């Protein structure tokens, strides 16, 4: 019995130590997060200008075989305005990935359905080049 | 973001199909330009044929095509693979029968 009590007391200690440590570790990630975003914004100097992104996005979309280049503006919606389907949209987003040397995760790529969103996404992407 | 137009709603299954298509196109980037072009046109026409011919409510069959596509994609990712010979779209009855 004495041994069992001793073991139980021993087990309880680390658990209490963990609950104390939890808030402290959250603080640490908050600090880490803010410093990371600060270092990312300082990269802005050698980042692409908006004009350059617009121009290159439009030229990729214009070169797509099914698209009439004359109809492409920074505001066009791939499916509503250019008459493309979801497979075409995948092809365009993939072509943009190659143009800007990015890899766009599926979750983001599914949302990009217009020149406007493509331009915004690429312009805000720290790795676009 | 702008939000000038309402976002199109994709079903989970549509997203899976598009993700698979993306996977194929990504895999072709590692091939030689000739192989890449050839594989891309096969993959593209197969997906378009599926989009035209398969009833969008035929979930079982689409799931089967997704599984088969994932296997073919795994094959394509191997550096030795330079083409897709087994890519043939077959009606549901036949394809189910040929699988053990």
């Amino acid at each position: 019995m004495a041994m069992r009590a001793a073991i139980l007391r021993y087990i309880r200690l680390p658990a209490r130590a963990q609950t104390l440590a939890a808030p402290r570790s959250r603080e640490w990630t908050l600090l880490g997060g803010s410093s990371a975003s600060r270092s990312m914004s300082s990269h802005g100097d050698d980042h692409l200008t908006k004009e350059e992104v617009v121009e290159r996005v439009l030229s990729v979309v214009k070169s797509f075989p099914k698209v009439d280049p004359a109809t492409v503006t920074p505001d066009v919606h791939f499916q509503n305005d250019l008459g493309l389907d979801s497979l075409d949209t995948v092809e365009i987003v993939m072509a943009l990935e190659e143009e800007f040397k990015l890899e766009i995760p599926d979750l983001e790529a599914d949302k990009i359905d217009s020149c406007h969103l493509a331009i915004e996404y690429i312009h805000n992407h720290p790795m676009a080049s | 973001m702008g939000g000038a137009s309402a976002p199109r709603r994709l079903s989970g299954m549509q997203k899976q199909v598009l993700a698979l298509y993306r996977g194929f196109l990504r895999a072709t980037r590692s091939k030689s330009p000739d192989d890449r072009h050839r594989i891309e046109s096969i993959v593209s026409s197969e997906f378009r044929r599926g989009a035209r011919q398969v009833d969008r409510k035929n979930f079982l069959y689409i799931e089967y095509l997704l599984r088969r596509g994932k296997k073919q994609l795994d094959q394509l990712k191997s550096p030795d693979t330079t083409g897709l010979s087994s890519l043939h779209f077959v009606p549901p009855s036949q394809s189910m029968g040929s699988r053990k």
Side-chain angles (χ1 to χ4, degrees), chain B residues 59-97:
Chain B
F59 303 123
L60 270 182
Y61 184 49
I62 299 171
E63 259 169 22
Y64 156 71
L65 289 175
L66 278 168
R67 274 199 307 279
R68 200 187 56 166
K70 277 173 197 156
K71 272 188 207 146
Q72 287 167 327
L73 176 54
D74 284 340
Q75 280 175 10
L76 184 64
K77 280 177 183 164
S78 143
D80 305 325
T81 308
T82 56
L84 290 173
S85 55
S86 62
L87 234 173
H88 285 294
F89 188 82
V90 275
S93 52
Q94 262 178 284
S95 63
M96 290 302 194

Short mmCIF file of all heavy atoms in Angstrom, two decimals, chain B residues 59-97:
data_model
loop_
_atom_site.label_atom_id
_atom_site.label_comp_id
_atom_site.label_asym_id
_atom_site.label_seq_id
_atom_site.Cartn_x
_atom_site.Cartn_y
_atom_site.Cartn_z
N PHE B 59 -21.57 7.83 -58.16
CA PHE B 59 -20.46 7.98 -57.20
C PHE B 59 -19.56 6.75 -57.13
O PHE B 59 -18.34 6.87 -57.07
CB PHE B 59 -21.01 8.28 -55.81
CG PHE B 59 -21.88 9.50 -55.76
CD1 PHE B 59 -23.18 9.43 -55.30
CD2 PHE B 59 -21.41 10.72 -56.22
CE1 PHE B 59 -23.99 10.56 -55.27
CE2 PHE B 59 -22.21 11.86 -56.20
CZ PHE B 59 -23.50 11.77 -55.73
N LEU B 60 -20.19 5.57 -57.15
CA LEU B 60 -19.38 4.35 -57.06
C LEU B 60 -18.38 4.27 -58.19
O LEU B 60 -17.20 3.97 -57.98
CB LEU B 60 -20.29 3.12 -57.12
CG LEU B 60 -20.82 2.59 -55.81
CD1 LEU B 60 -21.67 1.35 -56.06
CD2 LEU B 60 -19.66 2.25 -54.87
N TYR B 61 -18.86 4.56 -59.39
CA TYR B 61 -17.97 4.46 -60.55
C TYR B 61 -16.89 5.54 -60.50
O TYR B 61 -15.73 5.28 -60.81
CB TYR B 61 -18.80 4.56 -61.83
CG TYR B 61 -17.97 4.36 -63.07
CD1 TYR B 61 -17.09 3.28 -63.16
CD2 TYR B 61 -18.05 5.25 -64.13
CE1 TYR B 61 -16.31 3.10 -64.29
CE2 TYR B 61 -17.28 5.07 -65.26
CZ TYR B 61 -16.41 4.00 -65.34
OH TYR B 61 -15.63 3.83 -66.45
N ILE B 62 -17.28 6.74 -60.10
CA ILE B 62 -16.28 7.82 -60.03
C ILE B 62 -15.23 7.48 -58.97
O ILE B 62 -14.04 7.70 -59.16
CB ILE B 62 -16.95 9.18 -59.72
CG1 ILE B 62 -17.92 9.54 -60.84
CG2 ILE B 62 -15.90 10.28 -59.57
CD1 ILE B 62 -18.80 10.74 -60.56
N GLU B 63 -15.69 6.88 -57.88
CA GLU B 63 -14.73 6.46 -56.85
C GLU B 63 -13.77 5.41 -57.39
O GLU B 63 -12.57 5.45 -57.11
CB GLU B 63 -15.46 5.92 -55.62
CG GLU B 63 -15.52 6.94 -54.51
CD GLU B 63 -16.46 6.54 -53.40
OE1 GLU B 63 -16.74 5.33 -53.26
OE2 GLU B 63 -16.95 7.43 -52.69
N TYR B 64 -14.32 4.52 -58.18
CA TYR B 64 -13.46 3.51 -58.80
C TYR B 64 -12.43 4.17 -59.72
O TYR B 64 -11.24 3.86 -59.67
CB TYR B 64 -14.31 2.48 -59.57
CG TYR B 64 -13.54 1.79 -60.65
CD1 TYR B 64 -12.56 0.85 -60.34
CD2 TYR B 64 -13.78 2.08 -61.99
CE1 TYR B 64 -11.83 0.23 -61.34
CE2 TYR B 64 -13.05 1.48 -62.99
CZ TYR B 64 -12.07 0.55 -62.67
OH TYR B 64 -11.35 -0.03 -63.65
N LEU B 65 -12.90 5.13 -60.55
CA LEU B 65 -11.98 5.82 -61.45
C LEU B 65 -10.91 6.59 -60.68
O LEU B 65 -9.75 6.63 -61.08
CB LEU B 65 -12.75 6.79 -62.35
CG LEU B 65 -13.62 6.17 -63.45
CD1 LEU B 65 -14.40 7.26 -64.17
CD2 LEU B 65 -12.79 5.37 -64.43
N LEU B 66 -11.31 7.17 -59.55
CA LEU B 66 -10.34 7.90 -58.73
C LEU B 66 -9.26 6.96 -58.20
O LEU B 66 -8.07 7.27 -58.25
CB LEU B 66 -11.05 8.57 -57.55
CG LEU B 66 -11.75 9.91 -57.82
CD1 LEU B 66 -12.63 10.29 -56.65
CD2 LEU B 66 -10.70 11.00 -58.07
N ARG B 67 -9.71 5.81 -57.70
CA ARG B 67 -8.73 4.83 -57.17
C ARG B 67 -7.78 4.37 -58.27
O ARG B 67 -6.57 4.30 -58.07
CB ARG B 67 -9.46 3.61 -56.60
CG ARG B 67 -9.90 3.74 -55.16
CD ARG B 67 -10.16 2.36 -54.56
NE ARG B 67 -11.09 1.56 -55.34
CZ ARG B 67 -12.41 1.68 -55.29
NH1 ARG B 67 -12.96 2.59 -54.51
NH2 ARG B 67 -13.19 0.90 -56.02
N ARG B 68 -8.37 4.08 -59.44
CA ARG B 68 -7.53 3.61 -60.54
C ARG B 68 -6.58 4.71 -60.98
O ARG B 68 -5.40 4.48 -61.24
CB ARG B 68 -8.42 3.18 -61.72
CG ARG B 68 -7.70 2.28 -62.67
CD ARG B 68 -8.52 2.02 -63.90
NE ARG B 68 -8.89 3.28 -64.56
CZ ARG B 68 -9.39 3.34 -65.78
NH1 ARG B 68 -9.60 2.25 -66.46
NH2 ARG B 68 -9.70 4.50 -66.31
N GLY B 69 -7.10 5.94 -61.02
CA GLY B 69 -6.25 7.06 -61.42
C GLY B 69 -5.09 7.26 -60.46
O GLY B 69 -3.98 7.55 -60.88
N LYS B 70 -5.35 7.09 -59.16
CA LYS B 70 -4.27 7.26 -58.19
C LYS B 70 -3.17 6.23 -58.39
O LYS B 70 -1.99 6.54 -58.27
CB LYS B 70 -4.83 7.17 -56.77
CG LYS B 70 -5.42 8.49 -56.30
CD LYS B 70 -6.14 8.35 -54.97
CE LYS B 70 -7.04 9.56 -54.75
NZ LYS B 70 -8.14 9.28 -53.83
N LYS B 71 -3.59 5.00 -58.71
CA LYS B 71 -2.58 3.96 -58.97
C LYS B 71 -1.77 4.30 -60.20
O LYS B 71 -0.54 4.15 -60.22
CB LYS B 71 -3.27 2.61 -59.18
CG LYS B 71 -3.48 1.86 -57.88
CD LYS B 71 -3.99 0.46 -58.15
CE LYS B 71 -4.79 -0.03 -56.97
NZ LYS B 71 -5.90 -0.89 -57.35
N GLN B 72 -2.45 4.76 -61.25
CA GLN B 72 -1.73 5.12 -62.47
C GLN B 72 -0.79 6.29 -62.23
O GLN B 72 0.31 6.34 -62.77
CB GLN B 72 -2.73 5.46 -63.58
CG GLN B 72 -3.42 4.23 -64.11
CD GLN B 72 -4.62 4.57 -64.96
OE1 GLN B 72 -5.30 5.56 -64.72
NE2 GLN B 72 -4.89 3.75 -65.96
N LEU B 73 -1.24 7.21 -61.38
CA LEU B 73 -0.39 8.35 -61.06
C LEU B 73 0.88 7.88 -60.34
O LEU B 73 1.97 8.37 -60.62
CB LEU B 73 -1.17 9.36 -60.22
CG LEU B 73 -0.41 10.58 -59.72
CD1 LEU B 73 0.26 11.32 -60.87
CD2 LEU B 73 -1.32 11.51 -58.96
N ASP B 74 0.71 6.93 -59.41
CA ASP B 74 1.88 6.40 -58.72
C ASP B 74 2.87 5.79 -59.71
O ASP B 74 4.08 5.94 -59.58
CB ASP B 74 1.46 5.35 -57.68
CG ASP B 74 0.87 6.01 -56.44
OD1 ASP B 74 1.15 7.21 -56.24
OD2 ASP B 74 0.15 5.33 -55.69
N GLN B 75 2.33 5.09 -60.71
CA GLN B 75 3.20 4.51 -61.73
C GLN B 75 3.92 5.60 -62.50
O GLN B 75 5.10 5.52 -62.77
CB GLN B 75 2.38 3.68 -62.71
CG GLN B 75 2.02 2.30 -62.20
CD GLN B 75 1.10 1.57 -63.17
OE1 GLN B 75 0.88 2.03 -64.30
NE2 GLN B 75 0.56 0.46 -62.73
N LEU B 76 3.15 6.62 -62.85
CA LEU B 76 3.71 7.70 -63.66
C LEU B 76 4.83 8.43 -62.93
O LEU B 76 5.77 8.93 -63.54
CB LEU B 76 2.60 8.68 -64.03
CG LEU B 76 2.95 9.84 -64.96
CD1 LEU B 76 3.37 9.31 -66.32
CD2 LEU B 76 1.79 10.80 -65.09
N LYS B 77 4.72 8.46 -61.59
CA LYS B 77 5.74 9.18 -60.82
C LYS B 77 7.09 8.49 -60.85
O LYS B 77 8.11 9.12 -60.56
CB LYS B 77 5.27 9.32 -59.37
CG LYS B 77 4.28 10.46 -59.17
CD LYS B 77 3.83 10.50 -57.73
CE LYS B 77 2.79 11.58 -57.50
NZ LYS B 77 2.10 11.36 -56.22
N SER B 78 7.10 7.21 -61.16
CA SER B 78 8.38 6.52 -61.24
C SER B 78 9.18 7.09 -62.40
O SER B 78 8.65 7.32 -63.48
CB SER B 78 8.14 5.02 -61.47
OG SER B 78 9.12 4.51 -62.33
N PRO B 79 10.48 7.36 -62.17
CA PRO B 79 11.29 8.02 -63.20
C PRO B 79 11.39 7.20 -64.49
O PRO B 79 11.66 7.75 -65.56
CB PRO B 79 12.67 8.17 -62.56
CG PRO B 79 12.57 7.65 -61.17
CD PRO B 79 11.22 7.05 -60.95
N ASP B 80 11.17 5.89 -64.40
CA ASP B 80 11.31 5.05 -65.59
C ASP B 80 10.10 5.14 -66.51
O ASP B 80 10.18 4.78 -67.68
CB ASP B 80 11.50 3.58 -65.18
CG ASP B 80 12.66 3.42 -64.22
OD1 ASP B 80 13.63 4.18 -64.38
OD2 ASP B 80 12.58 2.57 -63.32
N THR B 81 8.98 5.59 -65.97
CA THR B 81 7.77 5.63 -66.77
C THR B 81 7.81 6.79 -67.74
O THR B 81 7.97 7.94 -67.35
CB THR B 81 6.54 5.77 -65.86
OG1 THR B 81 6.60 4.77 -64.85
CG2 THR B 81 5.26 5.61 -66.65
N THR B 82 7.67 6.48 -69.04
CA THR B 82 7.69 7.56 -70.03
C THR B 82 6.38 7.62 -70.80
O THR B 82 6.24 8.43 -71.70
CB THR B 82 8.83 7.35 -71.04
OG1 THR B 82 8.67 6.05 -71.62
CG2 THR B 82 10.17 7.44 -70.36
N GLY B 83 5.44 6.77 -70.46
CA GLY B 83 4.17 6.82 -71.18
C GLY B 83 3.08 6.16 -70.38
O GLY B 83 3.32 5.61 -69.31
N LEU B 84 1.87 6.26 -70.90
CA LEU B 84 0.73 5.65 -70.22
C LEU B 84 0.09 4.68 -71.21
O LEU B 84 -0.64 5.09 -72.09
CB LEU B 84 -0.28 6.71 -69.82
CG LEU B 84 0.11 7.67 -68.71
CD1 LEU B 84 -0.93 8.75 -68.59
CD2 LEU B 84 0.23 6.93 -67.40
N SER B 85 0.40 3.43 -71.07
CA SER B 85 -0.18 2.48 -72.02
C SER B 85 -1.49 1.92 -71.51
O SER B 85 -2.37 1.57 -72.28
CB SER B 85 0.80 1.34 -72.27
OG SER B 85 1.15 0.75 -71.04
N SER B 86 -1.62 1.87 -70.19
CA SER B 86 -2.80 1.20 -69.62
C SER B 86 -3.97 2.15 -69.44
O SER B 86 -5.00 1.76 -68.93
CB SER B 86 -2.43 0.58 -68.27
OG SER B 86 -2.04 1.60 -67.38
N LEU B 87 -3.80 3.40 -69.89
CA LEU B 87 -4.86 4.37 -69.65
C LEU B 87 -5.96 4.21 -70.69
O LEU B 87 -5.89 4.76 -71.78
CB LEU B 87 -4.29 5.78 -69.72
CG LEU B 87 -4.56 6.66 -68.50
CD1 LEU B 87 -3.81 7.96 -68.62
CD2 LEU B 87 -6.03 6.89 -68.31
N HIS B 88 -6.94 3.43 -70.37
CA HIS B 88 -8.07 3.31 -71.27
C HIS B 88 -9.35 3.37 -70.50
O HIS B 88 -9.53 2.70 -69.51
CB HIS B 88 -7.99 2.02 -72.09
CG HIS B 88 -6.97 2.10 -73.16
ND1 HIS B 88 -7.08 2.95 -74.22
CD2 HIS B 88 -5.80 1.45 -73.31
CE1 HIS B 88 -6.02 2.81 -75.00
NE2 HIS B 88 -5.22 1.92 -74.48
N PHE B 89 -10.20 4.18 -71.02
CA PHE B 89 -11.47 4.41 -70.36
C PHE B 89 -12.43 3.31 -70.79
O PHE B 89 -12.73 3.17 -71.96
CB PHE B 89 -11.98 5.78 -70.82
CG PHE B 89 -13.18 6.25 -70.11
CD1 PHE B 89 -13.06 6.85 -68.88
CD2 PHE B 89 -14.43 6.10 -70.67
CE1 PHE B 89 -14.17 7.31 -68.23
CE2 PHE B 89 -15.54 6.55 -70.01
CZ PHE B 89 -15.41 7.15 -68.80
N VAL B 90 -12.89 2.51 -69.84
CA VAL B 90 -13.78 1.41 -70.19
C VAL B 90 -15.09 1.55 -69.44
O VAL B 90 -15.12 2.08 -68.33
CB VAL B 90 -13.13 0.05 -69.86
CG1 VAL B 90 -12.24 -0.39 -70.98
CG2 VAL B 90 -12.35 0.12 -68.57
N PRO B 91 -16.17 1.08 -70.04
CA PRO B 91 -17.47 1.16 -69.36
C PRO B 91 -17.45 0.45 -68.02
O PRO B 91 -16.69 -0.51 -67.84
CB PRO B 91 -18.42 0.46 -70.33
CG PRO B 91 -17.74 0.48 -71.64
CD PRO B 91 -16.29 0.49 -71.37
N PRO B 92 -18.29 0.86 -67.08
CA PRO B 92 -18.27 0.32 -65.72
C PRO B 92 -18.32 -1.20 -65.66
O PRO B 92 -17.53 -1.81 -64.96
CB PRO B 92 -19.51 0.91 -65.06
CG PRO B 92 -19.89 2.09 -65.89
CD PRO B 92 -19.32 1.88 -67.25
N SER B 93 -19.21 -1.82 -66.42
CA SER B 93 -19.39 -3.27 -66.32
C SER B 93 -18.09 -3.99 -66.67
O SER B 93 -17.60 -4.84 -65.93
CB SER B 93 -20.50 -3.72 -67.24
OG SER B 93 -20.25 -3.23 -68.54
N GLN B 94 -17.49 -3.58 -67.79
CA GLN B 94 -16.26 -4.23 -68.22
C GLN B 94 -15.14 -4.05 -67.20
O GLN B 94 -14.47 -5.00 -66.84
CB GLN B 94 -15.79 -3.59 -69.52
CG GLN B 94 -16.19 -4.35 -70.75
CD GLN B 94 -15.71 -3.59 -71.96
OE1 GLN B 94 -16.28 -2.58 -72.33
NE2 GLN B 94 -14.62 -4.04 -72.53
N SER B 95 -14.96 -2.80 -66.77
CA SER B 95 -13.82 -2.52 -65.91
C SER B 95 -13.95 -3.25 -64.58
O SER B 95 -12.97 -3.74 -64.03
CB SER B 95 -13.73 -1.02 -65.67
OG SER B 95 -14.87 -0.57 -64.99
N MET B 96 -15.16 -3.32 -64.04
CA MET B 96 -15.36 -4.03 -62.78
C MET B 96 -15.06 -5.51 -62.96
O MET B 96 -14.46 -6.15 -62.12
CB MET B 96 -16.80 -3.87 -62.29
CG MET B 96 -17.13 -2.45 -61.83
SD MET B 96 -16.06 -1.90 -60.50
CE MET B 96 -16.95 -0.47 -59.94
N GLY B 97 -15.47 -6.05 -64.13
CA GLY B 97 -15.28 -7.48 -64.37
C GLY B 97 -13.82 -7.85 -64.50
O GLY B 97 -13.40 -8.91 -64.07
#
